[in-house]
Amino acid sequence: EQRDLLFPFLIRYGLGSGRELWIETDALYGTARMLGSNGRFSDAGSAPISIGAKVRLESDRPALGVIVRYFPAGGRGSFASDGPAGDLRLAADAESGRWSLATNIGVAFARDQVPVGLAVVSVGYEVTETIGGFGEFAAAVPVRGERSLIFETWRVTNNLQLDAYVGQTLAGPGPRPFLGAGFSYRFR
C-alpha cells in the first residue's frame, strides 16, 4: 500500500491584461509505502521549481489561453528530475452561473523521452463567492499516470487561493491514493 502527500504552490505575477508569469512546484512531496507486514518505507523530497506563463487569447466565450511551462533539472530526494522538461497547452474555460467547465490539451516534453499528449477536463461549482469545488480528470497518451481529483478551493481574496484535494491514479505510474494542499498567490 502507498500513501502520498503533496504540498504544491503556484505564484502568479500579472504582466498586464490577460498575461501571467508563473512559478510553481510541489514544494514538498512525501510518500509512505508498506513493505510486507513488518516494514514501512518513507521518502520525502521536492520536485523541481518550474517557470511558466499563461497568455489569454482574444476571445469572448469560451475564454482561450496558452500555457507554457519549463522545468529545469532539480529537486531533492527521489522526486528530483534527471533533466529538463516542459509542456505547452491550449486551455479553454467557460462559465454558466455557478458552474464552470475547463479543458486543456497539449504536449509534454522531457529529455530523452518521446513527447506525451496531455488532456485535462474539470467541472466546477461555486458554492459562495469565495468557496468552490471541482472535479478533474487528467490523462496522458501514451499512459503516464491518468488521475482523477476532487478539489476544494477557497479564494481568501481575489489574489490568494487555498486548495485541498484528494485523488487517485487510475492507470500508469503514480500515487494511489494521494492527498494534497496548496496555495496560489497572484501579484498585481
Side-chain angles (χ1 to χ4, degrees):
E1 180 181 347
Q2 176 177 320
R3 300 185 196 267
D4 291 278
L5 190 58
L6 310 165
F7 292 101
F9 78 83
L10 167 64
I11 297 175
R12 303 180 294 177
Y13 184 79
L15 299 173
S17 180
R19 294 180 312 228
E20 295 177 340
L21 179 65
W22 290 7
I23 298 174
E24 64 182 314
T25 189
D26 282 330
L28 174 66
Y29 193 120
T31 188
R33 293 179 191 91
M34 294 304 294
L35 301 174
S37 59
N38 298 330
R40 184 176 177 105
F41 168 79
S42 294
D43 194 9
S46 62
I49 294 174
S50 75
I51 187 165
K54 182 176 182 180
V55 177
R56 184 177 172 152
L57 303 175
E58 294 299 320
S59 68
D60 291 331
R61 293 283 177 229
L64 297 175
V66 174
I67 299 169
V68 61
R69 299 183 306 167
Y70 172 73
F71 299 84
R76 294 180 315 159
S78 62
F79 306 102
S81 69
D82 292 341
D87 60 42
L88 175 66
R89 296 179 279 158
L90 176 64
D93 302 318
E95 296 178 2
S96 179
R98 293 179 178 257
W99 290 93
S100 64
L101 175 67
T103 61
N104 67 65
I105 58 171
V107 63
F109 304 92
R111 186 180 75 174
D112 301 330
Q113 294 183 9
V114 174
V116 174
L118 304 172
V120 178
V121 176
S122 306
V123 176
Y125 182 76
E126 190 174 84
V127 178
T128 69
E129 286 187 18
T130 59
I131 297 176
F134 61 94
E136 180 176 278
F137 175 77
V141 177
V143 174
R144 288 284 176 95
E146 281 69 19
R147 65 188 189 281
S148 179
L149 304 170
I150 301 294
F151 281 85
E152 178 62 35
T153 63
W154 176 36
R155 279 191 310 271
V156 180
T157 69
N158 281 337
N159 295 321
L160 176 63
Q161 177 175 303
L162 303 176
D163 301 309
Y165 54 93
V166 61
Q168 175 74 27
T169 300
L170 304 175
R176 302 171 191 262
F178 57 91
L179 178 64
F183 74 94
S184 171
Y185 190 81
R186 177 176 47 206
F187 294 91
R188 287 182 49 176

